Amino acid sequence: MRRMIAAQSYRLIHEKGFWGGLAVTILYALAVLAFSAYAMINNGRSIALDQLYFYGYGLDSFIPVAGLVLAAVISFFVGTEYSSQTLRNALIIGRTRTEIYLSHYAVSLIVALIYQGVYALIVVLVGWPVFGGFHLSGALIGLGTLIGVLALAAYCALFNAVGLLSSSRTVSSIGCLCGVMLTMFLCFFLNTKLQEPEWIEALEMRDGSSQVYTLANPSYLNPSQRRFVQGVIDSLPSGQSLQLNGLNCGHWAVLPPISLIGIVLVQGIGLLLFQRKEIR
């Protein structure tokens, strides 16, 4: 297993896609700092370093930038294994399918950690003198980081499964990118439903005068609906990134176990299907 991880890591660092993803991550970190500094200086906005730090997992509670970058890099890297016949050669020399599957996942996770580590390092080193230190406690920063890392691990599990189960690099790349985008919009839509007020005000004209009265909001979700919608958001990496960006600390504690369960399920199903896949 260690030899396979080392061999794939060596091949990865010679891939243009890996360096392209790293370049995008660096530019993204610098852009976040630049636009935040501009907003603080010109608009008088107070921006906490905590917010910029968690922007590494998604921009402005909406766009999961890390997921999009990983979708492109991992699906492209894993997808070349079929065209180059790397998987077939690995099986010929005696590597098991379990070793192949898990080693690819390990390398994918290493990529995610490198990208996120570079982003965090740039934001903290450059942003600390400009925006000041963290406002949240060390425990909450650590918990948020754990949630973010597990969300990245869940992304890697999904992208690795799609890449190894699809023989087409193009199909896997498009599928991963579209999957991230769709879940992004889904989580954003569901979050707006949760933000609906229970009561709304309406204006009515009576006898030439206007009266304001309060009535129940038909779009407000009942308790069971709210639990279901929140559960969907919690179970998706995009939804967890959204909650990190919103600094919704009160709900953070439930997210790590959900991520771990999701990772185990995806890994188990992906590995089971990969054992049965025909490799040529």
Side-chain angles (χ1 to χ4, degrees):
M1 176 74 78
R2 285 183 297 178
R3 290 183 178 180
M4 289 199 67
I5 294 175
Q8 290 173 23
S9 299
Y10 178 80
R11 187 170 69 86
L12 179 68
I13 63 176
H14 290 83
E15 290 280 349
K16 293 181 180 179
F18 169 76
W19 296 106
L22 183 60
V24 170
T25 301
I26 294 173
L27 291 174
Y28 172 60
L30 295 176
V32 166
L33 290 168
F35 283 112
S36 299
Y38 177 85
M40 184 179 68
I41 295 171
N42 292 277
N43 301 329
R45 291 178 56 189
S46 177
I47 301 175
L49 186 63
D50 314 65
Q51 188 77 64
L52 306 185
Y53 177 79
F54 288 118
Y55 273 168
Y57 303 103
L59 180 61
D60 201 21
S61 302
F62 181 41
I63 305 174
V65 178
L68 292 170
V69 173
L70 289 175
V73 174
I74 294 175
S75 60
F76 187 85
F77 172 70
V78 176
T80 59
E81 301 287 70
Y82 285 98
S83 59
S84 63
Q85 294 191 334
T86 305
L87 295 179
R88 180 174 175 274
N89 294 335
L91 291 173
I92 291 174
I93 64 174
R95 301 299 182 185
T96 66
R97 292 185 179 232
T98 300
E99 286 180 314
I100 294 172
Y101 191 93
L102 294 181
S103 62
H104 277 83
Y105 176 69
V107 173
S108 299
L109 186 55
I110 290 171
V111 172
L113 294 177
I114 290 174
Y115 287 174
Q116 191 57 37
V118 169
Y119 174 89
L121 186 63
I122 293 174
V123 166
V124 172
L125 290 181
V126 179
W128 196 295
V130 179
F131 302 97
F134 292 107
H135 293 183
L136 297 176
S137 66
L140 284 177
I141 293 294
L143 176 59
T145 302
L146 174 63
I147 293 169
V149 169
L150 289 176
L152 295 180
Y155 273 131
C156 291
L158 290 167
F159 302 152
N160 185 59
V162 173
L164 287 175
L165 294 176
S166 174
S167 303
S168 171
R169 180 176 61 186
T170 302
V171 171
S172 62
S173 299
I174 294 175
C176 290
L177 287 169
C178 289
V180 175
M181 295 294 291
L182 288 174
T183 57
M184 176 188 78
F185 286 114
L186 174 62
C187 289
F188 182 76
F189 170 74
L190 293 178
N191 190 57
T192 58
K193 298 297 291 183
L194 289 177
Q195 302 304 317
E196 288 280 354
E198 185 175 2
W199 303 94
I200 57 176
E201 292 184 344
L203 183 66
E204 184 180 30
M205 298 295 296
R206 288 184 179 179
D207 300 327
S209 62
S210 60
Q211 292 183 341
V212 178
Y213 61 97
T214 303
L215 71 161
N217 183 1
S219 299
Y220 184 77
L221 303 179
N222 61 45
S224 60
Q225 291 174 327
R226 297 181 74 83
R227 286 193 296 271
F228 174 77
V229 168
Q230 186 66 61
V232 172
I233 295 175
D234 291 347
S235 64
L236 296 173
S238 299
Q240 297 197 5
S241 299
L242 183 147
Q243 293 179 76
L244 280 178
N245 291 172
L247 299 181
N248 183 19
C249 308
H251 191 66
W252 282 2
V254 304
L255 299 180
I258 295 175
S259 287
L260 289 172
I261 293 172
I263 292 169
V264 171
L265 286 175
V266 172
Q267 289 286 80
I269 295 173
L271 183 56
L272 179 63
L273 295 176
F274 185 66
Q275 297 284 0
R276 302 177 179 180
K277 181 174 177 58
E278 181 180 359
I279 298 176
R280 298 178 180 178

